[in-house]
Amino acid sequence: MQTVNPLLQLDDLIDYAAIRPEHAEPAVRHWMAQAEKALEAAESPQTPAEWSALEPLGEAFGDLGRAWGAVGHLQSVADSPQLRDAFNRLLPDVTALYLRASQSQPLYQKYKAIEAGAGFAALSPVQQRIVKREIRDFVLSGAELPEEKRAAVTRIQQELSALSQKFSENLLDATNAFEFVTEDPKDLAGIPEETLSLYRESARAAGRGGWRVTLQFPSYLPAMQYCENRAVREKLYRAFATRAAEFDGGRFDNTPLIRRILELRAEEASLLGFPTYAHLSLATKMAHDPEEVIRFLLDLAQQSRPAALRDAAEIDAFAREKLGIERVEAWDRAFAAEKLREARYSYSDAEARRYFTENAVFRGLFKTVETLFGIEIRPAAASVWHPDVKYFQVFRQGTPIAAFYADLYARAGKRSGAWMDGERTRAYRRGKLQTPVAYLVTNFAKPAPGRPATLTHDEVTTLFHEFGHTLHHLLTAQTEAEVSGINGVEWDAVECPSQFLENFAWDRTVMKSITAHAETGEAIPDALFSKMLAAKNFQSGAASVRQVEFALFDMRLHAGFDAQSDDPMALLDAVRREVAVVLPPAWNRFPQSFSHIFAGGYAAGYYSYKWAEVLSADAFEAFEEEGILNPETGRRFLKEILERGSSRDAMENFVAFRGRKPSIEALLRQTGILAK
Ligand SMILES: [Zn+2]
């Protein structure tokens, strides 16, 4: 019997339960062919340079994006060797097609002609914005340059991506090259049993006896926090802090790569007409120029400094009095901090999680956002990829406006972590308004049959975070895909709604509404809540200046730094002298493992972590001022931020909501650095 390929049916919800791995390739190839045809039509001289003439292109790429997104999603949550093979066969071709569209000269000329044409004034402001942004993106990939310079930009980008790859490989190899194996239990005194069993397993897997500690984070971190043997901590720290550097013969040395990466980035920026790479990076972000970011970071450093000094002094005093450590070295700090935390703020995670029963958490979360944003969330039936997956519809005044799938539990074949992805975007599709759909994915432990599912508070905040992204995608009021939901939102602003909603999971009123003890049904007691809050803010001053140190180093490295003559290590030392309250040993080689900026997407963008935290804390403070569940404040946040997508600059959204530009004080208050 010939069955229909579910991935070819995109008019309504996708029939996920019916998808088999062999459906992926033919369906995606079909939508690729459609997109290619639409691209050729758009490029053709016969096609007029008009907005409406390019609409089929957007729709065709929208269909491809949705089918390809569904395949990628299934690969993340229900992997199988056949599906992975199909995905990997498709990946290079899909990537090539998107690249071809983003570099098409005829398409670029068409957008320019639309902007210059008589019809441009008749377009809506949002459509005009989209045209301008398309042009900007073409320009940023070198479309305005003469052929030979454009080729140079492409060459630079290729070399940069190879260098980033090499940087990661070096770091990985350097991380893997180290092991500490011991058969003497005294070496590992103080380390919790569950970590020790991890070490034993690691030794066994390596064909050794005893315990094996590596520099992988889940292995390294607990050793630094709990190991009572100071010499062992020093040995581990030294290995960790000098990874991928010139020591040990420099087998995996990233130093020359750093220099070359910075050189190439500066060259790319200059070819594209920017004074520095930082200016190029910020061209698509909410922050305007490096000076604005540097001012922001220095302000944050200065305001966090007294708290950071207090935090450091507190550790020093505790280490001296209780641990007999006269001078706290870099390898003592995490250990002493953990001991101090236990002494002062400890509560049992196991005890706390009995209050966060899954039903209570979801009921409270839904109630919160229903009150704030005037919506109603109801479970509904839909075809899903796994029996545990739930489906919900979102209503406003009885009308369905959006929907989402919630895939909550960890299982084999599912990638770890938590995330939100758009399944389809709110937009007109062939004249009909398509409502948005999202995937909400977490990896909570599935409860044993007959027992209530409970979450740790960490998991609760993760859920709130991802639900903030989900609402940003679902509650959009936009009808052009390019600006709808989270599409096109500035990189340093896109975490605002997620971190914003996370703050609610730390509010006393909301905390009461999301807790119901697994046995007694009681809401969380005040004493436990206060302890959790204090533990959250423990050492927050120290953490704040450390993040500023990394972000300031990143920004200065990409703004006016001369990669040929200046030394990155000397720059980092200068930044540390400027903002740090605790200095690491001189042989610490942090830049060589700073993969966020050398092998991730965070170059001249590391500040965005703090930037988005400031936006979300300040937005949340409006609710603290006007009433935590005040529907009017909620509607204003909905109207000025969530509904806008990228149809307006993120800064304008923020100012429209808050009545002024963001200020850093709210974050400092929320993290306990300033008094409330
Ligand atoms: Zn996020």
Side-chain angles (χ1 to χ4, degrees):
M1 193 181 78
Q2 189 70 20
T3 52
V4 193
N5 185 334
L7 287 167
L8 290 174
Q9 310 292 317
L10 301 184
D11 287 326
D12 203 345
L13 289 179
I14 295 177
D15 185 359
Y16 280 100
I19 297 178
R20 293 193 311 276
E22 57 268 31
H23 289 133
E25 194 162 356
V28 172
R29 296 232 179 259
H30 166 81
W31 296 116
M32 278 174 71
Q34 300 296 110
E36 203 151 4
K37 224 188 301 171
L39 180 57
E40 273 157 24
E43 288 172 326
S44 149
Q46 273 85 56
T47 302
E50 286 163 12
W51 172 270
S52 58
L54 294 188
E55 274 176 342
L57 177 67
E59 288 172 349
F61 269 86
D63 290 338
L64 170 61
R66 187 166 173 219
W68 177 236
V71 171
H73 170 71
L74 289 176
Q75 210 241 307
S76 298
V77 297
D79 197 19
S80 69
Q82 302 94 304
L83 189 63
R84 187 181 302 190
D85 281 351
F87 184 85
N88 288 335
R89 267 196 309 275
L90 288 163
L91 183 62
D93 296 343
V94 174
T95 312
L97 179 56
Y98 276 99
L99 196 68
R100 163 154 143 50
S102 73
Q103 292 180 341
S104 159
Q105 272 294 324
L107 192 57
Y108 172 53
Q109 297 307 333
K110 204 132 282 177
Y111 277 111
K112 283 214 297 188
I114 293 176
E115 192 193 22
F120 189 70
L123 295 182
S124 74
V126 171
Q127 290 168 335
Q128 293 183 359
R129 182 179 166 88
I130 292 170
V131 170
K132 289 194 162 130
R133 211 165 60 188
E134 290 291 341
I135 293 172
R136 178 201 72 185
D137 290 345
F138 275 110
V139 170
L140 289 179
S141 59
E144 273 298 307
L145 298 178
E147 184 52 45
E148 129 213 7
K149 285 193 174 172
R150 196 159 66 228
V153 170
T154 309
R155 254 199 326 275
I156 288 174
Q157 287 170 346
Q158 280 162 351
E159 190 180 343
L160 275 173
S161 91
L163 285 168
S164 291
Q165 177 63 20
K166 187 71 192 154
F167 188 98
S168 299
E169 282 171 19
N170 278 344
L171 185 58
L172 188 67
D173 291 346
T175 302
N176 290 339
F178 175 91
E179 59 174 12
F180 172 67
V181 181
T182 179
E183 306 212 351
D184 183 353
K186 282 203 291 298
D187 282 343
L188 300 175
I191 295 179
E193 188 44 48
E194 53 177 332
T195 304
L196 286 177
S197 66
L198 193 94
Y199 293 167
R200 250 191 316 272
E201 189 43 49
S202 170
R204 209 185 346 257
R208 316 280 290 268
W211 297 270
R212 180 172 178 266
V213 188
T214 70
L215 299 182
Q216 318 282 0
F217 231 66
S219 179
Y220 172 75
L221 195 65
M224 297 310 288
Q225 283 177 312
Y226 297 108
C227 181
E228 287 164 9
N229 188 319
R230 201 178 186 200
V232 170
R233 290 202 308 270
E234 178 177 356
K235 187 185 179 75
L236 292 170
Y237 175 84
R238 200 173 271 274
F240 190 83
T242 56
R243 283 174 305 158
E246 75 275 23
F247 310 107
D248 295 336
R251 260 193 310 162
F252 308 116
D253 192 1
N254 271 336
T255 316
L257 273 62
I258 290 175
R259 209 169 273 279
R260 183 70 185 142
I261 288 171
L262 293 172
E263 240 171 53
L264 287 171
R265 284 178 182 162
E267 210 179 311
E268 181 190 6
S270 149
L271 278 166
L272 293 169
F274 290 90
T276 72
Y277 184 80
H279 290 85
L280 169 59
S281 163
L282 295 182
T284 52
K285 296 188 172 82
M286 182 176 171
H288 291 108
D289 49 46
E291 292 70 34
E292 185 183 8
V293 174
I294 289 171
R295 261 198 317 276
F296 161 74
L297 291 170
L298 289 177
D299 193 12
L300 200 56
Q302 198 202 344
Q303 300 233 40
S304 308
R305 191 171 180 82
L309 287 168
R310 267 199 312 275
D311 287 348
E314 195 178 53
I315 298 273
D316 290 346
F318 181 82
R320 202 168 39 242
E321 287 156 24
K322 302 282 192 240
L323 306 174
I325 298 174
E326 226 14 76
R327 195 188 127 91
V328 175
E329 300 287 354
W331 45 92
D332 300 322
R333 207 155 280 281
F335 174 72
E338 181 54 31
K339 288 276 171 290
L340 176 59
R341 195 187 65 80
E342 279 169 18
R344 210 169 279 176
Y345 305 107
S346 84
Y347 61 90
S348 143
D349 251 343
E351 177 201 331
R353 78 177 296 159
R354 305 301 292 158
Y355 289 95
F356 297 99
T357 36
E358 193 189 287
N359 283 339
V361 170
F362 273 87
R363 209 182 317 119
L365 168 62
F366 287 177
K367 190 88 208 114
T368 302
V369 301
E370 286 172 345
T371 308
L372 290 177
F373 305 128
I375 53 172
E376 209 188 309
I377 300 171
R378 290 184 218 148
S383 165
V384 293
W385 52 90
H386 187 279
D388 287 344
V389 177
K390 298 173 181 129
Y391 177 76
F392 295 91
Q393 279 186 303
V394 181
F395 293 83
R396 177 169 289 133
Q397 284 153 3
T399 309
I401 56 164
F404 62 96
Y405 300 92
D407 185 348
L408 303 179
Y409 304 127
R411 60 174 177 266
K414 182 170 165 184
R415 181 155 64 86
S416 62
W419 65 90
M420 186 289 289
D421 239 335
E423 201 265 2
R424 67 183 203 205
T425 304
R426 186 174 201 266
Y428 278 103
R429 183 176 177 274
R430 295 177 182 77
K432 190 169 162 262
L433 186 63
Q434 168 179 277
T435 56
V437 177
Y439 307 112
L440 172 69
V441 185
T442 59
N443 269 283
F444 303 151
K446 189 178 176 175
R451 306 207 48 177
T454 59
L455 308 180
T456 66
H457 190 257
D458 257 0
E459 291 172 331
V460 173
T461 48
T462 300
L463 175 67
F464 273 62
H465 180 105
E466 297 310 331
F467 208 68
H469 284 307
T470 306
L471 292 177
H472 199 186
H473 181 71
L474 297 185
L475 299 187
T476 192
Q478 304 307 311
T479 54
E480 306 286 354
E482 292 87 343
V483 296
S484 185
I486 59 168
N487 288 355
V489 174
E490 292 96 317
W491 160 287
D492 45 356
V494 77
E495 291 298 329
C496 171
S498 52
Q499 294 179 349
F500 162 79
L501 204 63
E502 218 180 293
N503 286 319
F504 282 84
W506 284 107
D507 175 82
R508 195 179 295 265
T509 312
V510 175
M511 189 80 108
K512 297 271 179 201
S513 80
I514 59 174
T515 46
H517 192 276
E519 278 83 42
T520 65
E522 271 171 78
I524 194 164
D526 282 337
L528 179 56
F529 171 73
S530 301
K531 243 182 189 176
M532 291 170 70
L533 197 59
K536 163 188 172 257
N537 290 340
F538 175 58
Q539 292 278 313
S540 59
S544 178
V545 294
R546 201 163 44 243
Q547 285 298 103
V548 168
E549 174 189 321
F550 300 159
L552 193 57
F553 172 61
D554 164 45
M555 193 46 71
R556 291 233 164 100
L557 203 53
H558 291 102
F561 178 86
D562 186 338
Q564 263 130 31
S565 58
D566 300 342
D567 174 17
M569 234 13 252
L571 176 70
L572 180 57
D573 286 339
V575 166
R576 280 172 175 161
R577 278 195 303 275
E578 199 176 354
V579 298
V581 299
V582 178
L583 294 179
W587 41 259
N588 174 297
R589 290 289 180 271
F590 170 71
Q592 279 76 347
S593 62
F594 198 3
S595 43
H596 273 88
I597 68 164
F598 294 117
Y602 281 85
Y606 195 81
Y607 75 93
S608 56
Y609 284 108
K610 279 284 150 201
W611 185 272
E613 272 179 47
V614 162
L615 297 180
S616 51
D618 198 356
F620 180 70
E621 208 169 68
F623 288 81
E624 292 187 314
E625 288 162 8
E626 299 167 23
I628 203 75
L629 295 176
N630 187 332
E632 275 169 42
T633 317
R635 297 308 189 276
R636 202 167 74 237
F637 188 80
L638 173 71
K639 184 167 162 284
E640 304 297 355
I641 295 182
L642 294 179
E643 286 187 350
R644 297 280 170 168
S646 64
S647 67
R648 194 166 68 172
D649 285 351
M651 184 59 92
E652 277 181 67
N653 289 350
F654 187 90
V655 172
F657 168 68
R658 202 63 172 106
R660 56 162 173 75
K661 289 197 165 183
S663 111
I664 63 174
E665 279 78 18
L667 176 64
L668 298 172
R669 277 190 285 272
Q670 254 153 56
T671 47
I673 292 174
L674 291 182
K676 273 209 181 184

